[in-house]
Amino acid sequence: MLMRSALRTWSFPRTDRVPGLGFASQGLHMPPCEFQPQPYQSLPYEYMQKVHHAHSGYLRGKLYRRPLLLHQGHMQWLWDMDGRRYLDLFSGIVTISVGHCHPKVVAAATRQAHKLWHTTNLYMVPSFYEYIEKLAATLPEPLKVIFLVNSGSEANDLALFLAREHTGNFDILTLGGAYHGGSSQSMGLTSLSTWKHNLPTSFGIHATMCPDVFRGPWGGAHCRDSPVQTLRTCSCSPGSCHAKNMYVQCFRDVLDSSVGKKVAGFICEPIQGVNGAVQYPKGFLKEVFDMVHDRSGLCIADEVQTGFGRLGSHFWGFQSHDVMPDIVTMAKGIGNGFPLAAVVTTREIADSLGRAKHFNTFGGNPMACTVGSAVLDVIHEEGTQERSAELGLRMMQALAKFREEFRVVGDVRGKGLMIGLDLVKDKESRTPLPTEEVTEIMQDIMEAGVLLGSGGNHNTILRIKPPMCLSEQDVDFAVAVLHQALTRHAARH
Ligand SMILES: Cc1ncc(COP(=O)(O)O)c(C=O)c1O
């Protein structure tokens, strides 16, 4: 057993790296930041490694050669134990929507923490009503009835429960490449090999072909709702889309062959997050939603990553597909890092739960509601949705040029501040780049002071989803860092 006496405060020796300037040898300079972090004065790195092996149940992903120890955050910035500053382009997996420790959110949470933390929804508390009214105002009619829970997985579990209770049907359709969570039910909805296990989670759940216009069998140069299209050719006449028709046909085949005459529903992300910003052909969701409704099913939009203005053009991702879901689930960015999630639906569907009582101890607790309210205020006051549109465009246009310059950049896609760079062995076959090479690139990017994520079935897609408080200078710096890392990779291989 590890000695408690070892848990002393400790300061890691500072290196000669200048906070905020990255490695001087790399010649790239971070945009300035006036915020002064505290020096790191906590557990030693190696000691924490030992505690991890002894007591942590989690296997740590191999993101970098050595796990990064982060101890402070401010807006788009994070600091490690050496006082080294990073531009966070991954937001704790698309969760820091308005900025790390955003002062307005911190102030609201602090006020509430001194007042009331928890009561359960057995009682009335003002912060709950203030919040659900504010959240409902962001959604169109008839999506006005809200359940609050604590995580995206819980929200999707509840959405499934609602769809099955309301329709009296059982079968649920989902898309290949989807990620909907880690609970038994939401693991069943997920269709990415990394997150599938030998467990009976998918009973009554049917995955249909992922309508990925870059990797899939069909796709052309006009298919997606993005400033950047694939480099595939297209011979469709204006107004028609062969790829969309083919993927719709695949969906119809599953409906016709694998499920009963009636279904409980269909769940999808407006843009696939964990799968690396995969976008469907325009019009696909509209046709599929109609088919599901024709079979008495409900359509569920999982906005866990795409919501709260991240896509720039709309507040909710489903709006960019011109569809009206019956249920919307949301988490992550909703609380800017605080555990909060929601399921929004119509009064009629919500009332189906009257037949099956549902209870959630923490859902809608005063702390979460206060934080959620402050996050919505910041989004509106600081125009983060508009910023997402502008900055996302700036970044995607710059990154799109990488496809001409680098053999390994196969695709650049996304919308607003939800961007994916699909790394390939060669552009012809679109074979994913070996994982070790992706890891090298990620390591170089991190060492130059930028954090981003990876995703997709082979973990070869770079995922860029920063807090929406980014600046133009940050975007240009990030593009320069990625350029440098890809140049180094090209020199090595
Ligand atoms: C689209 C989507 N849905 C659901 C979830 C599950 O959310 P949570 O991890 O909060 O349970 C995630 C998490 O990454 C997600 O990306």
Side-chain angles (χ1 to χ4, degrees), residues 93 151-154 156 179-182 269 274 302 304-305 331-332:
I93 318 193
S151 71
S153 305
E154 260 188 332
N156 285 332
Y179 183 88
H180 293 295
E269 301 156 86
V274 180
D302 177 336
V304 167
Q305 296 206 15
K332 291 189 184 269

Side-chain angles (χ1 to χ4, degrees), residues 164-212:
R164 285 175 169 157
E165 270 297 305
H166 183 73
T167 60
N169 304 329
F170 192 64
D171 285 316
I172 297 275
L173 291 115
T174 177
L175 293 177
Y179 183 88
H180 293 295
S183 63
S184 306
Q185 294 244 52
S186 57
M187 208 192 281
L189 297 172
T190 292
S191 189
L192 271 165
S193 61
T194 329
W195 310 105
K196 298 300 281 186
H197 306 286
N198 290 326
L199 294 169
T201 54
S202 309
F203 197 52
I205 296 169
H206 308 265
T208 63
M209 182 185 264
C210 179
D212 179 346

